[in-house]
Amino acid sequence: MSVIASILIFCIVFVLWFWLRPRSPNAPPCYPGALPLIGHGHQIFGNRKHLWRYLEKIFHYSLEKGGVLELWIGTHSVYVLTDPDEILTVSNTCLNKAYFYEFGKEYFKNGLITSEASMWRSHRKLLDVAFTQKVLDTFVDEMNAQTRVLVTNLNVLVDKGPFDVRQYLINYTLKIVSRTSLGLEAKDQTIIDEAYADALEDLIKVYCERAQKVWLHLSCIYDRSSLRKKQDYLLKIMNNIIDAVIVQRKSDLKLNNNEPTQYDKPKQGKFKPALDQMLQLADEHHVFNDEEIREHLDTFVAAAYDTTSGTLIYVLLAIGSHPEIQEKILKEIQEVQPNKNEDISKYDLLRLVYVEAVIKEALRLYSPLPGVARKIEKDVKLKNYTLRAGSTCILSLYGVGHHSMWGPDVNEFKPERWFDVANFPTNPNAFGAFGIGRRNCIGKQFAMSLMKLTIVYLVRNYHILSDISKLESEYDIVLKAVSGHLISITSRA
Ligand code: HEM
């Protein structure tokens, strides 16, 4: 009895001390509504639509308070940054990811997203060679071929009224990313399109569910849960698939004398998928083992398909609600490549500046990764505040896109702003959708080329109609449009 009483007294004293202790003058403003012991933890419960509305509220509150905010999950301090300069400081001084990336580590392991800074530095340098413009240019034929397939698949929906384009875009981006990463022949691709894709989608749901249910953050509880069993089952499916691809590819490369992949149509160019580049590095410089190669491949595929397809949906919703913007896109396409049946070349992609502005505007307003997070391992001094060691810091890329530096029309979808030199923000980190600082997105050029090409093919074939005013999104790590997200298409032929 006396032991229980002592524990109780200790807890009460701890809570009182924690709650009544004076806040440091260098502490940023605190978000309202914190409760003793659980902090703001109670505010995040609800479905994922609620979670996104909540995050939007904290991001806007942080903007109102000058760009830095503090909240509490239990007794753990979480800072929310929306100021691009402060975000750059934290991004480049704190390279390790926040503790909840650990949940994804079961899957991504030492892939770039979740690796510790020490390993990340050397692997990122090596992997950058797989994403140079020269390499990306070799993917353009494959992107054209797959985008033609997308148009064929969508043709059955012409004049059929509103539909959900998500699954079409997911299958399409997944196919391009996995072909350019893994180099599979069409006949072997089905296993990725079906078994791997389904398992990956389910795994991301498991990850989100764990992130939201704070009690499952504790490994001792999570490891006994049915969610953990599901995670292990899905991981086994995915690992078996990719391990088999690596073994097969190694033996193919030996047989073909390391020749780049020749795709189905003889006319199309050759390219070297990321897997071949890593196998070559492993062979010549003894840097990656098979397990590390799998971890990087899994990371590329997962990091690429949901973000890219999600952004494309927001672009389609935005241009479907702005026919005048669609007409300007069409005009640019006709100037750059007047023959509707011709492929889009790497040179055409460079000239599609209006299409690029449309995509960047969608990324600014509907940042698909609205926030990323870092571990604060040592005190970090910002302009007015100090972030304490041992805390977590959310870097809000959504906040950067909604910062007042964008002007009074910050909430409007206005691609023209990207050409308005006089009023464009002067801050070099104003556009943060691909991350700010050294640990930014390795696939940004890949994503931009693919999205430009997709928009060109869709706009030159269809009138797109939608109503973005009804849009509601949910937070599944990647922001997902879940209501008001349907589009209709009619033919331009
Ligand atoms: C519209 C599409 C995309 C967006 C908005 C996007 C955004 C981002 C952001 C914000 C980060 C930083 C994440 C963090 O700090 O936790 C990131 C990292 C990353 N992205 Fe992307 N991404 C996109 C497409 C892609 C594609 C196509 C690929 C691969 C082909 C890719 C691969 C990666 C990888 C590997 C990282 C980790 C980089 C590192 O830590 O060195 N992403 N991305």
Side-chain angles (χ1 to χ4, degrees):
M1 191 63 190
S2 65
V3 176
I4 295 173
S6 312
I7 293 173
L8 211 67
I9 290 167
F10 174 80
C11 289
I12 292 168
V13 170
F14 175 75
V15 169
L16 286 175
W17 165 80
F18 186 81
W19 219 245
L20 299 176
R21 78 198 197 289
R23 272 172 68 75
S24 147
N26 290 332
C30 193
Y31 191 67
L35 295 175
L37 210 56
I38 58 171
H40 297 85
H42 61 293
Q43 296 179 344
I44 63 173
F45 291 120
N47 60 23
R48 291 200 279 272
K49 257 191 201 177
H50 161 82
L51 189 57
W52 172 237
R53 277 188 228 117
Y54 179 66
L55 286 172
E56 247 186 322
K57 251 196 254 168
I58 3 178
F59 294 157
H60 281 285
Y61 196 80
S62 167
L63 283 168
E64 270 170 43
K65 295 287 169 190
V68 188
L69 180 72
E70 185 172 9
L71 49 88
W72 299 90
I73 302 298
T75 55
H76 183 75
S77 175
V78 179
Y79 300 104
V80 181
L81 269 51
T82 46
D83 177 280
D85 297 326
E86 310 288 39
I87 289 181
L88 183 68
T89 304
V90 173
S91 292
N92 285 345
T93 46
C94 310
L95 286 171
N96 279 323
K97 299 290 176 79
Y99 79 96
F100 38 78
Y101 283 69
E102 287 294 319
F103 313 154
K105 206 157 183 168
E106 305 266 352
Y107 164 48
F108 295 124
K109 301 252 168 54
N110 289 315
L112 286 182
I113 290 183
T114 40
S115 54
E116 290 288 311
S118 49
M119 179 178 266
W120 170 81
R121 278 191 196 91
S122 59
H123 281 205
R124 171 77 190 230
K125 213 180 264 169
L126 290 165
L127 289 169
D128 274 335
V129 299
F131 289 89
T132 59
Q133 193 56 53
K134 209 166 148 204
V135 172
L136 296 180
D137 286 346
T138 65
F139 296 160
V140 175
D141 284 343
E142 174 62 13
M143 289 183 180
N144 271 284
Q146 292 304 331
T147 315
R148 284 185 191 281
V149 176
L150 173 69
V151 170
T152 309
N153 291 342
L154 289 177
N155 273 341
V156 295
L157 295 156
V158 168
D159 295 330
K160 293 274 159 49
F163 66 97
D164 189 348
V165 72
R166 184 175 138 78
Q167 206 52 48
Y168 292 89
L169 291 175
I170 284 191
N171 294 347
Y172 156 74
T173 48
L174 194 58
K175 187 167 254 170
I176 292 178
V177 172
S178 55
R179 275 168 85 106
T180 51
S181 302
L182 305 172
L184 289 176
E185 296 294 335
K187 63 180 171 34
D188 301 322
Q189 179 68 29
T190 328
I191 191 146
I192 297 291
D193 298 347
E194 291 164 8
Y196 185 87
D198 289 349
L200 181 57
E201 283 263 293
D202 286 349
L203 193 68
I204 287 172
K205 284 188 193 128
V206 167
Y207 181 83
C208 289
E209 192 171 334
R210 185 176 182 197
Q212 204 176 358
K213 293 181 173 164
V214 279
W215 59 94
L216 293 178
H217 291 196
L218 299 170
S219 302
C220 54
I221 301 180
Y222 181 65
D223 288 347
R224 288 173 176 77
S225 70
S226 57
L227 211 58
R228 169 77 207 215
K229 279 197 194 101
K230 193 168 170 187
Q231 172 193 294
D232 291 345
Y233 168 73
L234 296 167
L235 280 175
K236 204 164 158 198
I237 297 178
M238 294 168 69
N239 290 349
N240 286 344
I241 293 174
I242 300 293
D243 285 344
V245 170
I246 296 175
V247 170
Q248 180 66 45
R249 194 75 196 138
K250 268 176 149 175
S251 84
D252 287 354
L253 279 177
K254 270 207 184 102
L255 283 177
N256 295 344
N257 239 346
N258 285 336
E259 269 294 290
T261 303
Q262 171 81 57
Y263 264 113
D264 309 331
K265 287 189 197 164
K267 160 181 170 286
Q268 286 167 8
K270 292 183 175 188
F271 66 81
K272 200 169 199 170
L275 169 56
D276 292 13
Q277 311 223 28
M278 282 190 271
L279 287 171
Q280 194 179 343
L281 282 168
D283 198 31
E284 291 169 4
H285 304 279
H286 312 290
V287 278
F288 297 123
N289 59 34
D290 282 8
E291 209 172 308
E292 287 169 341
I293 291 178
R294 170 163 49 73
E295 290 159 12
H296 285 308
L297 290 171
D298 279 340
T299 300
F300 292 154
V301 176
Y305 87 97
D306 224 8
T307 46
T308 311
S309 57
T311 307
L312 281 169
I313 294 176
Y314 286 109
V315 176
L316 294 178
L317 291 175
I319 65 175
S321 310
H322 290 281
E324 73 291 356
I325 294 178
Q326 232 172 115
E327 288 315 304
K328 283 189 191 169
I329 295 176
L330 186 65
K331 191 163 166 270
E332 180 175 80
I333 297 169
Q334 286 164 344
E335 280 163 15
V336 170
Q337 177 44 272
N339 185 346
K340 196 180 157 187
N341 299 316
E342 265 302 307
D343 272 8
I344 295 297
S345 69
K346 60 182 181 186
Y347 306 107
D348 298 336
L349 284 175
L350 293 176
R351 293 173 59 211
L352 290 160
V353 289
Y354 188 72
V355 176
E356 181 165 321
V358 168
I359 295 167
K360 281 185 166 170
E361 187 64 351
L363 282 165
R364 179 185 73 81
L365 274 177
Y366 312 106
S367 202
L369 277 179
V372 298
R374 297 291 165 88
K375 201 188 277 179
I376 306 289
E377 288 167 308
K378 296 189 280 200
D379 282 5
V380 177
K381 265 188 106 49
L382 301 180
K383 279 178 261 178
N384 298 318
Y385 308 112
T386 301
L387 310 185
R388 278 191 319 279
S391 56
T392 294
C393 187
I394 296 178
L395 314 174
S396 170
L397 306 174
Y398 172 94
V400 176
H402 290 76
H403 194 279
S404 56
M405 68 183 156
W406 290 99
D409 55 0
V410 57
N411 294 320
E412 285 173 37
F413 186 80
K414 250 177 94 176
E416 284 67 27
R417 77 173 76 245
W418 294 83
F419 306 103
D420 181 0
V421 181
N423 295 310
F424 197 79
T426 50
N427 191 308
N429 295 302
F431 178 57
F434 288 109
I436 289 177
R438 289 162 62 198
R439 220 168 162 168
N440 67 9
C441 177
I442 201 171
K444 53 185 177 298
Q445 281 308 114
F446 180 105
M448 282 307 293
S449 298
L450 179 56
M451 290 190 291
K452 279 163 98 171
L453 215 112
T454 318
I455 296 305
V456 168
Y457 273 80
L458 294 186
V459 171
R460 75 181 178 183
N461 282 284
Y462 310 120
H463 291 279
I464 297 150
L465 275 163
S466 62
D467 180 1
I468 204 163
S469 66
K470 300 202 177 91
L471 177 69
E472 270 196 276
S473 299
E474 70 177 28
Y475 182 72
D476 288 355
I477 313 294
V478 173
L479 196 61
K480 212 163 269 173
V482 285
S483 5
H485 62 298
L486 305 184
I487 63 161
S488 321
I489 51 175
T490 59
S491 176
R492 281 193 194 269

